[in-house]
Amino acid sequence: MENKLFGKPVIHQEAMRKRIKALGATIAKDYEGKDLILIGVLKGAFAFFADLARAIPIPLQVDFLVVSRLRDKRRKDGGTVSITSDLSTEIKGRDVLIVEDIVDSGYTLTFLKKELLKKNPNSLKCCTLLNKPERRKIQVTVDYICFEIPDRYVVGYGLDYKDKYRNLPYIASLENVVAE
Ligand code: 5GP
């Protein structure tokens, strides 16, 4: 049932369920026999992370980090990204898959990859729920993408606006949410 408080879905729950199931199977195939650790980027990835992890039917470990991005249009790199809460697990020699909510300009993911590579993982890839290629400011490889979306601000399924709407069970456009 759609939640009338939060506007119409841009991506429905059922579409996400199907896509995540398929992606989980692909990831399981790619990482069969490897030492996989999923790293969730909080807060935005929490809902996607929980569903994706359960859709990957091979042994794996999970860990999380929290990033904050202070935007500053005057800076060439669009602002500063920092890790406000770091991993609690050693990733040296392991096969790391970053789980992101959305890749927009690409600055956050670029920063994260650089930081995680310093810890010498065996491999480092990224999986994102949403990708906004039109907004990219810096070239960064995203290995697994659930959905590509146009340049508009979305909320729900972990994604926020002013720290709200994360509990919405589907993805909605912020314009619709605020208009109601
Ligand atoms: P990037 O560094 O790639 O520009 O930004 C990534 C971060 O910006 C995401 O993890 C997310 O927190 C935020 N972001 C970018 N686009 C959106 C959007 O459409 N909706 C929401 N809620 N957050 C977004």
Side-chain angles (χ1 to χ4, degrees):
M1 198 170 75
E2 285 175 18
N3 188 335
K4 289 201 173 94
L5 282 176
F6 292 118
K8 285 196 202 85
V10 171
I11 305 175
H12 287 259
Q13 270 173 283
E14 186 53 19
M16 283 194 285
R17 197 191 59 75
K18 279 192 186 147
R19 180 74 187 109
I20 292 169
K21 192 174 173 211
L23 193 66
T26 304
I27 292 171
K29 227 169 110 195
D30 294 353
Y31 284 89
E32 185 79 66
K34 299 204 168 160
D35 188 11
L36 175 60
I37 178 162
L38 298 183
I39 294 185
V41 185
L42 297 176
K43 301 177 189 171
F46 82 91
F48 174 49
F49 186 97
D51 287 342
L52 180 70
R54 285 177 292 177
I56 304 175
I58 57 169
L60 55 80
Q61 261 191 294
V62 302
D63 202 352
F64 302 91
L65 44 77
V66 184
V67 292
S68 92
R69 167 136 182 245
L70 293 173
R71 286 181 169 76
D72 184 348
K73 285 185 182 156
R74 289 163 304 177
R75 283 177 61 130
K76 237 183 154 187
D77 60 2
T80 45
V81 189
S82 59
I83 295 175
T84 55
S85 176
D86 209 343
L87 300 174
S88 60
T89 318
E90 173 87 56
I91 61 164
K92 187 176 176 188
R94 312 201 50 200
D95 296 295
V96 174
L97 184 60
I98 302 170
V99 180
E100 266 280 22
D101 54 353
I102 186 164
V103 183
D104 185 44
S105 68
Y107 288 127
T108 305
L109 183 57
T110 302
F111 166 82
L112 269 180
K113 282 187 161 183
K114 209 175 107 205
E115 289 304 306
L116 294 178
L117 279 173
K118 289 181 192 165
K119 298 178 191 261
N120 295 316
N122 181 51
S123 66
L124 180 65
K125 287 191 176 182
C126 175
C127 174
T128 188
L129 173 67
L130 303 173
N131 185 35
K132 279 190 199 170
E134 286 169 46
R135 296 260 309 166
R136 205 67 96 247
K137 293 277 192 297
I138 184 167
Q139 183 56 43
V140 62
T141 303
V142 189
D143 305 278
Y144 303 97
I145 296 168
C146 266
F147 297 97
E148 300 237 319
I149 60 165
D151 177 11
R152 62 172 154 168
Y153 199 89
V154 290
V155 294
Y157 196 63
L159 288 118
D160 74 312
Y161 174 64
K162 296 190 175 169
D163 223 19
K164 285 193 180 146
Y165 309 113
R166 294 190 197 274
N167 58 325
L168 183 59
Y170 46 78
I171 301 289
S173 160
L174 181 64
E175 294 154 36
N176 294 346
V177 169
V178 170
E180 287 189 6

